[in-house]
């Protein structure tokens, strides 16, 4: 609807973690609609293709009518404008996230003053999880159960099996 409060939750989601899931669920309570926007970044060599990431998010949130899954490239603020979003949602895990996140929030505000960045903290049991650490720990034989959705864990196993 025209006056719905819309938020964009941008990121790489390579792969989706339970920390992301937690933030999306919190965002869905705060806004009428939350658009999970996966950055299409040809510069990075991702583990999961864009198609795989969209599929994972669709399977996890497909039944939640407040959550929309999309991809974007170019400037985030241009995408937010196109979607008529009121807010950009970002998760803050620790003080170490703060500097980078504050820079991005203020640059985005400079570029588009009428969109607000809203920071949310994930549940504390997810505060140390990042996609980068999940990939590293899994690749080295560590347990990631409970840190990512089950289907992400299964996909990580499939990729490992395909490599040997
Ligand atoms: O999950 P990530 O990788 O930390 O997300 C970073 C993301 C996608 C939010 C950021 O890289 C981004 O917004 N990229 C789009 C290009 C852009 O707008 N850059 C200027 C940001 S101030």
């Amino acid at each position: 609807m025209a006056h719905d409060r819309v938020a964009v939750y941008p990121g790489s989601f390579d792969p989706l973690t339970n920390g992301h899931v937690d933030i999306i669920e919190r965002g869905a309570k705060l806004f009428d609609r939350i658009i999970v926007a996966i950055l299409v970044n040809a510069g990075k060599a991702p583990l999961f293709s864009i198609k795989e990431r969209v599929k994972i998010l669709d399977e996890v949130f497909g039944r939640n009518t407040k959550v929309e899954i999309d991809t974007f490239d170019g400037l985030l603020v241009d995408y937010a404008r196109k979607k008529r979003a009121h807010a950009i949602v970002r998760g803050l895990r620790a003080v170490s996230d703060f500097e980078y996140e504050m820079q991005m929030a203020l640059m985005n505000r400079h570029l588009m003053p009428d969109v607000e960045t809203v920071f949310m903290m994930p549940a504390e049991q997810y505060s140390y999880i990042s996609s980068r650490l999940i990939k590293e720990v899994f690749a080295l034989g560590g347990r990631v159960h409970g840190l990512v959705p089950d289907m992400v864990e299964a996909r990580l196993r499939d990729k490992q099996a395909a490599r040997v």
Side-chain angles (χ1 to χ4, degrees), residues 9 50 68 81 112:
Y9 178 42
I50 287 288
E68 188 182 314
R81 192 177 287 117
M112 189 180 172

Side-chain angles (χ1 to χ4, degrees), residues 26 48 63-64 73 76 86 103 119 138 148 157 163:
R26 285 171 202 279
F48 287 86
R63 279 176 297 275
N64 190 332
D73 55 16
L76 173 61
H86 303 87
Q103 278 183 340
F119 292 112
F138 187 83
V148 292
R157 254 192 243 111
R163 233 177 283 126

Side-chain angles (χ1 to χ4, degrees), residues 10-13 39 44 72 74-77 90 100 104 107-108:
S12 305
F13 305 104
L39 175 67
K44 273 190 195 171
F72 79 106
L75 277 180
L76 173 61
V77 288
R90 291 287 289 172
Y100 170 62
M104 279 209 302
M107 177 59 84
N108 285 330

Side-chain angles (χ1 to χ4, degrees), residues 28-125:
K29 285 187 200 146
L30 215 55
F31 295 94
D32 297 310
R33 204 150 50 88
I34 179 161
I35 305 170
V36 182
I38 308 167
L39 175 67
V40 179
N41 185 352
K44 273 190 195 171
L47 180 63
F48 287 86
S49 70
I50 287 288
K51 216 171 135 189
E52 287 175 307
R53 282 178 272 165
V54 169
K55 190 157 186 268
I56 288 167
L57 273 152
D58 270 342
E59 287 199 21
V60 175
F61 289 102
R63 279 176 297 275
N64 190 332
T65 53
K66 294 181 93 180
V67 181
E68 188 182 314
I69 313 303
D70 197 10
T71 62
F72 79 106
D73 55 16
L75 277 180
L76 173 61
V77 288
D78 289 339
Y79 176 78
R81 192 177 287 117
K82 193 176 88 184
K83 289 290 174 180
R84 297 179 191 283
H86 303 87
I88 293 167
V89 164
R90 291 287 289 172
L92 263 191
R93 290 164 300 193
V95 179
S96 52
D97 283 339
F98 183 77
E99 198 171 334
Y100 170 62
E101 292 298 335
M102 190 186 74
Q103 278 183 340
M104 279 209 302
L106 294 181
M107 177 59 84
N108 285 330
R109 179 183 286 168
H110 167 78
L111 296 169
M112 189 180 172
D114 51 345
V115 71
E116 209 60 57
T117 298
V118 175
F119 292 112
M120 278 192 281
M121 275 168 278
E124 52 273 34
Q125 71 263 33

